Amino acid sequence: DQQVKQNSPSLSVQEGRISILNCDYTNSMFDYFLWYKKYPAEGPTFLISISSIKDKNEDGRFTVFLNKSAKHLSLHIVPSQPGDSAVYFCAASSTQGGSEKLVFGKGTKLTVNP
Amino acid sequence: DGGITQSPKYLFRKEGQNVTLSCEQNLNHDAMYWYRQDPGQGLRLIYYSQIVNDFQKGDIAEGYSVSREKKESFPLTVTSAQKNPTAFYLCASSTQREDSLNYGYTFGSGTRLTVV
């Protein structure tokens, strides 16, 4: 049972345009969400996070939006740059159930074309 | 500089052999994790440890073993019982969530294991 879903395995956008990566979750107990970026043969690096008490968090070109009623979050990258080409993982966490470990989606491969 | 180190970066194993992947962190993190990445599969949790001398199975623990004798170290052994061990292995660490307003994992750079 996949609790965190990234339904688009890949996304291609033009340099300078907006990239929108989507993530859905099923567990209503999730209260903290993160996005990680991963280049080939490297470990993922933290990008941005959001707590369930907020609906938006912004950091430079990156903005994460959270819609709790829809159990949906999205990552917006504006403007997109070729260096943003990577796999992006959505992750979620809950303090309930005695385990704080992150649950990851399967990732979306973003390609930004020059 | 604090961080998490995985070694080696590339590892080759003959079928039937056990092999141990190293993971060391100097971030003073309590929790450590092992993930496996395969194409199209995302990150799948193998084992995790929230405290020294304790660890739990993740979603795909069969054919793997771990130990957590020191806070800084969480080695993963890929045994001969693992039927398809060729993959990219990632180690991560974290604080306890209540300890940090910015909770999240710090990942190592990974080990590529190939069975030959």
Side-chain angles (χ1 to χ4, degrees):
Chain A
D1 180 27
Q2 208 180 338
Q3 298 185 67
V4 177
K5 300 179 184 179
Q6 294 178 256
N7 293 318
S8 297
S10 62
L11 174 68
S12 183
V13 299
Q14 286 298 120
E15 181 178 6
R17 305 293 291 267
I18 185 171
S19 296
I20 300 176
L21 295 90
N22 293 303
C23 179
D24 297 296
Y25 60 96
T26 57
N27 187 343
S28 58
M29 302 308 293
F30 286 146
D31 57 2
Y32 188 70
F33 305 88
L34 308 90
W35 285 94
Y36 283 83
K37 175 180 179 180
K38 185 184 181 300
Y39 293 117
E42 293 183 11
T45 55
F46 170 77
L47 196 57
I48 193 168
S49 63
I50 187 167
S51 165
S52 60
I53 62 173
K54 296 185 175 181
D55 54 19
K56 176 183 174 182
N57 189 24
E58 193 171 353
D59 184 1
R61 296 186 297 114
F62 303 92
T63 303
V64 57
F65 295 92
L66 175 63
N67 182 334
K68 290 186 291 293
S69 60
K71 294 191 180 69
H72 176 83
L73 64 155
S74 61
L75 175 68
H76 293 211
I77 306 174
V78 183
S80 301
Q81 299 173 353
D84 296 329
S85 297
V87 177
Y88 289 78
F89 289 100
C90 171
S93 170
S94 166
T95 54
Q96 303 297 321
S99 174
E100 301 168 341
K101 63 182 187 294
L102 296 180
V103 180
F104 287 88
K106 291 190 174 183
T108 295
K109 183 177 181 180
L110 173 66
T111 302
V112 180
N113 301 303
Chain B
D1 250 354
I4 182 166
T5 302
Q6 289 187 243
S7 61
K9 190 161 182 66
Y10 299 95
L11 190 56
F12 296 88
R13 189 196 92 175
K14 292 183 179 179
E15 284 197 39
Q17 284 183 340
N18 292 357
V19 64
T20 297
L21 283 60
S22 170
C23 178
E24 303 276 336
Q25 55 99 359
N26 60 4
L27 299 164
N28 199 32
H29 285 171
D30 289 311
M32 297 187 74
Y33 312 82
W34 274 105
Y35 285 86
R36 168 179 171 146
Q37 186 188 18
D38 297 280
Q41 295 288 334
L43 303 176
R44 294 188 291 168
L45 182 64
I46 304 172
Y47 267 98
Y48 66 102
S49 168
Q50 293 182 309
I51 197 168
V52 175
N53 292 323
D54 187 41
F55 48 83
Q56 285 81 41
K57 292 181 179 180
D59 301 317
I60 55 164
E62 185 175 351
Y64 300 97
S65 66
V66 294
S67 63
R68 186 86 188 275
E69 297 176 1
K70 298 187 301 181
K71 186 175 186 178
E72 300 79 18
S73 179
F74 192 40
L76 174 74
T77 297
V78 185
T79 75
S80 57
Q82 171 48 236
K83 298 305 179 189
N84 186 20
T86 294
F88 189 59
Y89 290 86
L90 286 160
C91 180
S93 68
S94 72
T95 58
Q96 299 298 334
R97 192 172 143 181
E98 62 266 18
D99 293 336
S100 173
L101 294 176
N102 296 303
Y103 173 76
Y105 291 180
T106 300
F107 282 89
S109 56
T111 293
R112 169 71 62 183
L113 173 64
T114 303
V115 174
V116 296

